[in-house]
Amino acid sequence: MPAQSVRYGVPDPTEPVVHELPPIRYGGQDVAIRVAVRRSEDGVWRGRFLFGDHDPADARCTAEILCGPSEADLWEAVRDLREHHIRDLYRSILE
């Protein structure tokens, strides 16, 4: 008789999971970068960049500009962005 699968500690995929990326250099200072990744109700993986401190009041973020049919595809999109693209995103949020 098959047992029911019980998964403890596995996050709900619709709740964003935040991943740290290496910081960028902007205006002579290091800026922390994180990516919040979640799976939307339609099954598409979506992500946004979070810039700055871990304090949500000080952090700036993009819209969910990253997406992919799988989590691996989303991370491929993140890897394809170069540092100057991420720096331009940050600069656009500041202005």
Side-chain angles (χ1 to χ4, degrees):
M1 176 159 114
Q4 284 187 331
S5 66
V6 177
R7 299 199 276 171
Y8 295 102
V10 176
D12 180 0
T14 59
E15 289 294 317
V17 176
V18 179
H19 302 272
E20 301 262 342
L21 295 180
I24 59 168
R25 193 94 174 135
Y26 184 81
Q29 296 181 337
D30 286 337
V31 177
I33 303 174
R34 292 165 288 140
V35 177
V37 176
R38 70 178 184 91
R39 190 179 59 155
S40 59
E41 291 178 8
D42 61 0
V44 175
W45 286 86
R46 301 183 187 282
R48 70 177 66 225
F49 284 104
L50 306 166
F51 297 99
D53 296 331
H54 292 288
D55 181 6
D58 294 335
R60 298 180 182 257
C61 64
T62 66
E64 288 182 324
I65 59 174
L66 304 165
C67 68
S70 70
E71 189 175 11
D73 290 327
L74 181 132
W75 283 108
E76 186 174 334
V78 172
R79 281 190 300 275
D80 286 346
L81 286 173
R82 302 292 184 244
E83 184 175 332
H84 65 277
H85 293 118
I86 297 172
R87 194 177 311 113
D88 286 343
L89 281 169
Y90 179 65
R91 182 179 24 229
S92 72
I93 290 173
L94 291 178
E95 297 174 353

